[in-house]
Amino acid sequence: MTSPLTGSASGDLNVNYNGTKKEMFGLAFKTGMLTIVTFGIYRFWQKTRLRRYIWSRANVGGDTFEYTGTGLEKLLGFLVAIVFLAVYLGIIQMVLFFFGMNIMVDPENASPAQVIGQILAIYISFFAVLPFLLFAVYRARRYKLARTRWRGIRFAMEKGAWGYVWRAIGHGLLTLVTLGIMLPRQTYYLEKYMTDRSHFGSAKFEQTGEWKKLYPAMKHIAIGLVILVGAVAAGVSGSGALAGILGFVGYVWLIIGSIYYSVHSFKYLTNNKTLEDVRFNADPSTGTVISKAILGAIIITAIMAAAALIFGLVMGLFGAFAQEGGSPVILIFIGLVGYLTLLVLAQALSLVFITQPILAHYIDTLTVLNPDGLNMIHQREADSNLDADGFADALDIGGAI
Amino acid sequence: MQETQAVFFDGKTAGRIPVTVSLGPDRLALFITGDGLPEPLRWPLGELRGLHSDGAKHQVILTLRQEGDDELARHTARLVLEDTVAKEWLLTTRPDLFRKDVPKGTMKKIAKFTGMAVGATVLMLFVILPAMANTLAAIIPIEREVAFGKTVVAQIARVFGGVGIDELTCQGEEGQIALQVMVDRLTENQDMTYTISSRVFDHPMVNAFAAPGGQVVVMKGLIDSADSPDEVAAVLAHEIGHVESRDATRNALRSSGSAGLLTMLIGDFTGGAVMAILGEQLLSASYTREAEGQADEFALEMLQNANVSADGMARFFELLDETYGESALPAYLSTHPVTLERAQRARDFAETQSATSPVISDSQWQSLKQICD
């Protein structure tokens, strides 16, 4: 680690992450339990504290990031979102359910068209919230940037959530209609929309490059799809075993391919971002991301299995006690507490063994090039016009951090 | 405190400024000097604040308290200290270092926003959604309700038996006739909106339910535990009461709105789904308790019109009380009102009845008991 006292002499700045498993677990588990006992209210402070930890453990050339968001503003943002969404969602959901009911058909003698209509009616309620989901995505990123500082200087993102909403819907439809061929275009332009509105102090970020350059990142998705087409062809021509094998290989290839796409599109997009004269170099590896995820999943499974076993034994013990005249309420209570504790444990472990290692890999493989321009950047005003993740939290898209 | 090296960010530009920090001669302030600073800075100890990092202990970052636009109520300048001696000295001598400075009016703001959110939610859950559910339940065409009810019954069959309706429905012909006779006798003197379609599910649970559109299902366990056909008739009458007042339809509509709202309210924290389900349980319990009382009254009237004694109803409630009475679940969690009270109500009602007869004959009762064999 570079000491902040010496800094880096000259040239590129390395970006590092040095969070530890122990600290992260302690924080995640403690705040998770606090969230449970406060019936969820503490979650705004939990998210704040987790971010504060992660930001303080990431540094560019030895200078750490600072997260200045507060739990209180998240709570207030959430309350505002509730007022709006309670009315909108409650009514929309019920009206849609009513129409779903109205085209409900007798399951015993329905035509396929009627069944499809019914399924559509059920899924249409998702589209009623989709604009707000996308709205929340933009707002959440804007809030995160506005509450991040480095070397004391604020990041920021301009207003523009509704512009993002209709662009995201348009690009999404185009990708859908072209069966995914336009996915790079969607990825590129949506990222460009957000990047071009981002600032660090007085300096503005810009997304350069072109969307067609993202096609190489799609190659493993394409291979996976070709194998799956082969599987279907084999199935049609009657060789079931071959179809099964190809189907499995194609499926796995497709999953790995989509991880490859997310890693390599991130790499291309980052390498083509500019902050005035400052440039970036990202070099994450798909293999590392996948192996960290698999290793993490194995460790988590093992720990959770052991924890569940202990929980089962305790429950068995209390079950025997309840049979001898103890109150079943105690048993139900212990069961609920144990179950919720296991959930908190699982969340903490997934932060420790999956989220943090992968995040660390992305951060450690990042370099800031030509950083001299950074010294010239000036402070900007605080941005108070934020919903502080309120919509994201209300619509369940925030995640732990 | 010893003189120590540190890094200073002035909060105006992103340049890093190496500085020397020392305690002033009056021991009331930190003095910050360096070539990059236009003039030495004096930071009063009382105004010093440390930044929370939640665990990252390799450094301490200092700033000053300051009211204003800043989201943290802090000065934008930062002083980064890595010297462990200086850090220890600060942490021990400045107990206020990590103090939160809550801006004035914060509590008022929280109260106002909470009030608005709670108001909107309560208004939705207890006024707007139930009213909408009532209206919509009244205008939905009956044939749609019947189709919806069949889907619901099919789903329940899948939940209880993991099979289709036909596999779980008991097929004994004589038993089905007996059940139909029972339904006919209950409904013949009644103004009915729905045609009741009843069936028995081969499941040991002591339960019965009404799906939208006239679908009534009795579980085999209920027939097994009943001592007389009148007890089953009482349950049937109660469920028919739910059908006629469209309770299931209304409840499905209402919970389609409120379930989404509750999930949103409780949010995406770990364990949130459990809380949301509990919340929806509590909420629907408060609605169904009222509906249960009304269905009881409907059932008593129906039994009266059919000349069937309400004693069966009383006995059934007493049986429920004996079986489940000791489970210490609080009454408000249960969707059914306290059963002994309901038993007493039925017992009182039965005393006013005269010229009653068993709802079906003994031989029909025997067939009904064997409907699943």
Side-chain angles (χ1 to χ4, degrees):
Chain A
M1 195 186 103
T2 324
S3 162
L5 294 185
T6 52
S8 60
S10 67
D12 308 336
L13 291 181
N14 285 321
V15 188
N16 288 305
Y17 182 78
N18 51 30
T20 68
K21 289 186 167 54
K22 199 178 146 202
E23 285 172 346
M24 175 60 107
F25 181 80
L27 184 63
F29 191 75
K30 187 172 70 188
T31 53
M33 291 310 283
L34 279 169
T35 300
I36 296 279
V37 299
T38 54
F39 299 100
I41 293 176
Y42 196 77
R43 68 178 184 275
F44 307 106
W45 284 267
Q46 176 186 31
K47 197 188 258 183
T48 302
R49 294 180 66 178
L50 286 171
R51 283 185 189 171
R52 217 152 54 188
Y53 175 72
I54 292 169
W55 268 236
S56 77
R57 281 303 200 176
N59 68 79
V60 179
D63 299 324
T64 59
F65 285 89
E66 180 186 342
Y67 181 70
T68 61
T70 64
L72 180 65
E73 68 184 1
K74 288 186 187 67
L75 172 69
L76 295 178
F78 171 74
L79 292 173
V80 172
I82 282 295
V83 172
F84 177 76
L85 288 173
V87 176
Y88 176 80
L89 279 186
I91 291 174
I92 282 285
Q93 296 257 352
M94 195 189 286
V95 168
L96 287 171
F97 186 76
F98 174 72
F99 282 114
M101 223 185 206
N102 259 312
I103 60 161
M104 195 57 88
V105 285
D106 201 323
E108 284 153 30
N109 46 28
S111 73
Q114 285 172 313
V115 173
I116 290 172
Q118 198 169 312
I119 292 170
L120 276 181
I122 292 164
Y123 282 97
I124 211 159
S125 65
F126 170 71
F127 291 102
V129 283
L130 184 64
F132 293 100
L133 286 175
L134 295 166
F135 180 84
V137 166
Y138 188 91
R139 277 302 194 85
R141 179 148 152 180
R142 180 171 166 216
Y143 172 64
K144 233 183 257 181
L145 274 178
R147 292 295 179 258
T148 299
R149 294 188 204 181
W150 181 72
R151 290 187 175 178
I153 301 295
R154 294 187 182 93
F155 285 82
M157 195 160 154
E158 295 163 26
K159 290 176 193 166
W162 288 117
Y164 181 78
V165 170
W166 70 261
R167 277 176 182 83
I169 291 175
H171 281 298
L173 283 177
L174 189 64
T175 302
L176 202 67
V177 169
T178 57
L179 303 175
I181 291 170
M182 286 297 164
L183 180 63
R185 196 167 182 277
Q186 174 184 4
T187 311
Y188 177 81
Y189 279 111
L190 290 183
E191 180 59 32
K192 184 172 171 60
Y193 184 82
M194 296 210 261
T195 304
D196 289 357
R197 280 161 184 73
S198 301
H199 301 259
F200 172 59
S202 52
K204 189 173 168 301
F205 282 96
E206 211 178 316
Q207 182 67 60
T208 62
E210 50 182 313
W211 65 272
K212 284 174 191 149
K213 293 269 175 66
L214 283 179
Y215 272 117
M218 290 265 284
K219 66 183 175 194
H220 287 291
I221 292 182
I223 295 173
L225 286 175
V226 168
I227 298 175
L228 282 182
V229 170
V232 173
V236 170
S237 64
S239 44
L242 184 64
I245 294 168
L246 283 180
F248 177 74
V249 171
Y251 181 65
V252 172
W253 206 302
L254 197 63
I255 291 173
I256 294 174
S258 52
I259 298 172
Y260 182 90
Y261 179 70
S262 90
V263 169
H264 282 263
S265 58
F266 170 82
K267 183 176 166 173
Y268 176 80
L269 291 167
T270 305
N271 292 348
N272 286 284
K273 279 184 174 64
T274 65
L275 180 67
E276 302 195 337
D277 292 335
V278 182
R279 299 285 181 277
F280 305 90
N281 181 49
D283 195 21
S285 119
T286 312
T288 310
V289 169
I290 292 175
S291 61
K292 278 181 190 296
I294 291 176
L295 184 68
I298 292 171
I299 295 172
I300 293 169
T301 311
I303 297 177
M304 286 310 291
L309 191 71
I310 294 168
F311 174 54
L313 285 175
V314 171
M315 282 301 282
L317 219 61
F318 276 94
F321 165 72
Q323 291 231 313
E324 281 166 26
S327 167
V329 175
I330 296 178
L331 190 66
I332 292 170
F333 180 73
I334 292 175
L336 199 64
V337 169
Y339 173 68
L340 290 172
T341 310
L342 284 183
L343 283 181
V344 171
L345 181 66
Q347 185 206 27
L349 289 175
S350 101
L351 275 170
V352 170
F353 289 108
I354 296 180
T355 313
Q356 184 168 255
I358 291 177
L359 190 68
H361 175 64
Y362 272 98
I363 295 176
D364 287 340
T365 51
L366 192 63
T367 313
V368 177
L369 311 175
N370 199 18
D372 290 344
L374 289 172
N375 296 334
M376 312 304 293
I377 291 171
H378 288 268
Q379 182 65 289
R380 59 185 298 117
E381 294 287 302
D383 185 353
S384 56
N385 186 19
L386 297 160
D387 75 322
D389 276 358
F391 277 86
D393 193 88
L395 295 169
D396 286 6
I397 58 166
I401 52 164
Chain B
M1 193 185 92
Q2 300 279 309
E3 195 175 270
T4 181
Q5 303 300 307
V7 172
F8 184 72
F9 301 109
D10 64 6
K12 297 187 188 81
T13 66
R16 62 192 338 270
I17 307 164
V19 291
T20 306
V21 181
S22 58
L23 191 60
D26 55 359
R27 304 188 65 84
L28 288 174
L30 290 185
F31 273 89
I32 306 165
T33 52
D35 294 340
L37 291 174
E39 55 187 38
L41 292 167
R42 181 180 183 274
W43 278 16
L45 292 182
E47 303 287 295
L48 277 190
R49 292 290 182 269
L51 294 182
H52 285 279
S53 62
D54 261 307
K57 293 185 176 66
H58 58 293
Q59 59 187 20
V60 62
I61 301 177
L62 298 176
T63 181
L64 290 177
R65 187 174 112 84
Q66 188 187 58
E67 293 282 327
D69 303 339
D70 187 78
E71 61 265 29
L72 289 176
R74 298 280 183 265
H75 196 281
T76 48
R78 298 289 183 265
L79 182 66
V80 184
L81 280 173
E82 277 208 328
D83 179 25
T84 43
V85 180
K87 226 176 79 178
E88 279 308 309
W89 180 83
L90 274 167
L91 292 177
T92 46
T93 60
R94 307 298 329 154
D96 278 355
L97 199 62
F98 290 102
R99 207 179 90 176
K100 286 209 168 79
D101 300 299
V102 181
K104 270 186 202 143
T106 302
M107 285 318 286
K108 221 169 142 187
K109 208 167 162 188
I110 297 176
K112 188 179 122 192
F113 282 49
T114 309
M116 271 161 51
V118 169
T121 311
V122 166
L123 194 69
M124 284 304 290
L125 287 180
F126 295 100
V127 181
I128 297 177
L129 291 180
M132 268 179 75
N134 274 345
T135 316
L136 292 178
I139 59 176
I140 190 165
I142 287 183
E143 65 269 23
R144 294 302 170 204
E145 224 183 323
V146 173
F148 175 63
K150 283 186 181 169
T151 320
V152 170
V153 174
Q155 248 164 22
I156 291 172
R158 228 169 288 136
V159 170
F160 278 109
V163 290
I165 302 183
D166 291 340
E167 283 87 351
L168 201 61
T169 302
C170 298
Q171 304 287 359
E173 257 174 59
E174 308 258 306
Q176 283 180 315
I177 293 169
L179 188 63
Q180 193 54 48
V181 169
M182 199 185 270
V183 170
D184 288 345
R185 177 152 172 204
L186 287 171
T187 53
E188 65 192 352
N189 292 327
Q190 203 80 28
D191 212 6
M192 297 286 292
T193 319
Y194 295 88
T195 314
I196 301 300
S197 147
S198 57
R199 63 179 78 232
V200 176
F201 270 179
D202 193 1
H203 193 275
M205 202 178 198
V206 183
N207 206 352
F209 60 88
Q215 305 280 324
V216 175
V217 179
V218 179
M219 302 291 203
K220 180 68 182 4
L222 190 143
I223 295 176
D224 288 341
S225 63
D227 289 329
S228 74
D230 285 5
E231 294 176 29
V232 178
V235 173
L236 263 180
H238 174 93
E239 296 305 329
I240 292 170
H242 282 312
V243 168
E244 283 292 300
S245 61
R246 300 188 152 194
D247 284 335
T249 312
R250 188 177 300 121
N251 210 31
L253 277 165
R254 189 194 52 73
S255 56
S256 72
S258 63
L261 207 151
L262 278 176
T263 327
M264 180 185 79
L265 211 62
I266 286 157
D268 63 343
F269 77 98
T270 304
V274 180
M275 303 270 183
I277 291 168
L278 279 177
E280 174 58 25
Q281 276 288 323
L282 278 173
L283 193 64
S284 69
S286 71
Y287 288 108
T288 45
R289 260 180 297 156
E290 196 189 332
E292 291 299 322
Q294 284 168 2
D296 275 357
E297 289 306 311
F298 181 95
L300 289 174
E301 204 175 299
M302 187 170 237
L303 292 173
Q304 167 77 349
N305 292 342
N307 292 323
V308 176
S309 170
D311 248 351
M313 195 169 185
R315 280 203 305 278
F316 184 73
F317 284 143
E318 281 158 5
L319 175 87
L320 276 187
D321 186 66
E322 274 166 39
T323 322
Y324 299 105
E326 280 176 21
S327 82
L329 277 180
Y332 54 82
L333 260 182
S334 150
T335 55
H336 290 69
V338 185
T339 37
L340 275 182
E341 278 170 30
R342 296 167 79 190
Q344 193 53 45
R345 169 86 185 97
R347 185 79 68 201
D348 294 345
F349 190 87
E351 275 170 21
T352 66
Q353 285 178 294
S354 57
T356 55
S357 61
V359 66
I360 47 174
S361 71
D362 258 352
S363 64
Q364 283 168 326
W365 174 230
Q366 293 311 317
S367 332
L368 184 56
K369 288 183 110 170
Q370 287 154 17
I371 190 170
C372 298
D373 298 340

